[in-house]
Amino acid sequence: MIHKHGWLMTDRGNAESERPGALILGAQELGRDVVEDARDWCNEREGWILRSVLLAYLVYGGARPFFDRNYHNAFGGITFGLHELGHIVFLWAGQWVSVAGGSFLQWMAPILAAWHLLGWQRDYFGACVCTCWLGFSLQDSAPYIADARAQALPLISFSNDPLHDWHYLLNSMNLLNWDLFIAHCATAVGIALWLAGCAVGGWLCWQIRLQRVQESGKG
């Protein structure tokens, strides 16, 4: 017996076997809806030049560390402040949570900012900026994670006796020997997020510009 539900048609006897295909089709449809909504958002916006300038900085800020390891973009200071604030915010929950809270807050801040901009303000470009910020934050964490065993990096903290966060955390979980692998993963994910944020941001700027050009042509 064939059951029809919207765009999905399944055979009851083969429902389980066709479920993965249905999920893929559902994801594709959701993706198309998001793209169309993003296009509608672009049609209602101006200021593609200013957004392009910010996008150019995001590209530069993410690319320069490949050639200059000592370079830190404008998000670095914000990230450091959030990291230290995280230790204080989670101080009530004990040492382990407080130590982990530094990295947790520096990663969660751009995620929450993107959720607010996209979910509450429907700001697709702002969400792309936050995606790049999250990518930068993960990449900033990578050298600290990689230093867990060696503990060779100079520690910067508001405390007189700073604790190496990642040595403490990984050692407590018996993962100290995995510090380099975890650091490489943080770097890879960070670069992927930065590239994704820049790519989608570039597409949004192009769509806004395209709409303005079309309107000028009609005028």
Side-chain angles (χ1 to χ4, degrees):
M1 181 176 180
I2 302 296
H3 293 269
K4 186 174 182 180
H5 179 67
W7 47 265
L8 176 61
M9 294 181 65
T10 60
D11 181 89
R12 177 174 291 179
N14 296 323
E16 292 297 327
S17 62
E18 294 188 5
R19 186 173 297 171
L23 291 174
I24 293 174
L25 289 174
Q28 291 175 343
E29 184 171 348
L30 177 62
R32 287 192 294 267
D33 290 342
V34 171
V35 170
E36 289 303 315
D37 188 62
R39 281 201 180 99
D40 291 340
W41 179 84
C42 292
N43 293 341
E44 301 168 358
R45 296 295 180 278
E46 295 183 359
W48 70 271
I49 295 178
L50 291 176
R51 289 185 174 89
S52 296
V53 171
L54 176 54
L55 179 64
Y57 175 75
L58 293 174
V59 173
Y60 172 81
R64 183 168 170 179
F66 289 106
F67 309 98
D68 181 3
R69 293 185 178 181
N70 295 320
Y71 172 78
H72 295 282
N73 58 51
F75 292 90
I78 301 173
T79 298
F80 173 73
L82 287 169
H83 182 97
E84 294 303 317
L85 179 62
H87 293 316
I88 298 172
V89 169
F90 294 100
L91 192 61
W92 60 271
Q95 185 177 30
W96 198 95
V97 176
S98 177
V99 172
S103 297
F104 176 77
L105 187 60
Q106 81 173 65
W107 297 339
M108 283 303 300
I111 294 174
L112 292 175
W115 174 77
H116 175 76
L117 289 169
L118 193 58
W120 291 86
Q121 299 186 17
R122 192 170 164 256
D123 187 344
Y124 282 94
F125 187 81
C128 289
V129 174
C130 292
T131 300
C132 291
W133 178 16
L134 177 59
F136 295 151
S137 183
L138 284 167
Q139 292 179 71
D140 285 345
S141 298
Y144 197 14
I145 298 172
D147 188 57
R149 275 178 292 179
Q151 299 188 74
L153 291 176
L155 300 180
I156 303 175
S157 174
F158 299 125
S159 170
N160 293 326
D161 186 22
L163 176 70
H164 195 297
D165 295 358
W166 285 98
H167 175 85
Y168 173 80
L169 293 172
L170 295 181
N171 188 51
S172 69
M173 296 184 289
N174 294 319
L175 294 175
L176 197 56
N177 291 332
W178 290 77
D179 57 351
L180 294 179
F181 174 77
I182 296 172
H184 290 323
C185 289
T187 300
V189 174
I191 292 174
L193 288 170
W194 164 64
L195 290 174
C198 289
V200 177
W203 179 82
L204 292 170
C205 288
W206 174 255
Q207 290 296 317
I208 296 172
R209 178 185 179 278
L210 189 61
Q211 180 63 22
R212 300 289 78 81
V213 169
Q214 291 174 351
E215 289 180 355
S216 299
K218 292 179 182 179

